[in-house]
Amino acid sequence: MQTCKSCLKEIETSATKCSYCQSYQVWYKNPQHYSLIIMLPFLVFMFWNAGLFNKKEFSDFESEFSFNLEKIIDANKPNTILITYKVKNNTRYKWRDISYEIISKHDGELLATNSVSDFSWVIQPNSESFLTVKVPIVSNANEWELKIKDLEVKRY
Ligand SMILES: [Zn+2]
């Protein structure tokens, strides 16, 4: 024997429904909850489809990005130049939160990393976007390499 969860009267151990108050003893036996059970796979699919379960890693898409040095100009600040790269995104995702490094090709010296103004930088799927970086003038550094360290997929 078991006790009804609703009215606390003694009922058959195998009973899924109380014979006194008609209340269901297990939530999933209650027809009112059937729709929830039916909906569950759809909810899982929708979350999965929205990419919430499969986070995109930039390292898996690195080869689908390319960049060209577009122009180098003097910055208003002394001993600083502005280098503009054209970044091409060949993926079908929109990316943001760039994290990069500018390396001197001469000796591999790290010359610049992200700046605060890069926060709004976003690149649309299958398109190009310009990225301008402020680089200090260092002797022997006359060739620069842009290295993207990380990007995040923008969902909204
Ligand atoms: Zn009952």
Side-chain angles (χ1 to χ4, degrees), residues 4 7 18 21:
C4 169
C7 68
C18 173
C21 71

PDB file of all heavy atoms in Angstrom, residues 4 7 18 21, ligand 1:
ATOM      1  N   CYS A   4      -1.734   8.319  -0.677  1.00  0.00           N
ATOM      2  CA  CYS A   4      -2.002   9.304  -1.746  1.00  0.00           C
ATOM      3  C   CYS A   4      -1.264  10.600  -1.417  1.00  0.00           C
ATOM      4  O   CYS A   4      -1.304  11.088  -0.277  1.00  0.00           O
ATOM      5  CB  CYS A   4      -3.502   9.568  -1.863  1.00  0.00           C
ATOM      6  SG  CYS A   4      -3.873  10.973  -2.930  1.00  0.00           S
ATOM      7  N   CYS A   7      -4.526  13.374  -0.839  1.00  0.00           N
ATOM      8  CA  CYS A   7      -5.449  13.288   0.291  1.00  0.00           C
ATOM      9  C   CYS A   7      -4.912  12.447   1.446  1.00  0.00           C
ATOM     10  O   CYS A   7      -5.564  12.341   2.494  1.00  0.00           O
ATOM     11  CB  CYS A   7      -6.811  12.757  -0.162  1.00  0.00           C
ATOM     12  SG  CYS A   7      -6.758  11.041  -0.690  1.00  0.00           S
ATOM     13  N   CYS A  18      -5.352   8.151  -7.538  1.00  0.00           N
ATOM     14  CA  CYS A  18      -6.023   7.864  -6.267  1.00  0.00           C
ATOM     15  C   CYS A  18      -7.512   7.591  -6.514  1.00  0.00           C
ATOM     16  O   CYS A  18      -8.174   8.327  -7.244  1.00  0.00           O
ATOM     17  CB  CYS A  18      -5.851   9.057  -5.333  1.00  0.00           C
ATOM     18  SG  CYS A  18      -6.802   8.915  -3.819  1.00  0.00           S
ATOM     19  N   CYS A  21      -9.590  10.685  -4.351  1.00  0.00           N
ATOM     20  CA  CYS A  21      -9.601  12.091  -4.809  1.00  0.00           C
ATOM     21  C   CYS A  21      -9.241  12.249  -6.288  1.00  0.00           C
ATOM     22  O   CYS A  21      -9.194  13.366  -6.789  1.00  0.00           O
ATOM     23  CB  CYS A  21      -8.675  12.939  -3.945  1.00  0.00           C
ATOM     24  SG  CYS A  21      -6.938  12.598  -4.231  1.00  0.00           S
TER      25      CYS A  21
HETATM   26 ZN    ZN B   1      -6.236  10.849  -2.903  1.00  0.00          ZN
END
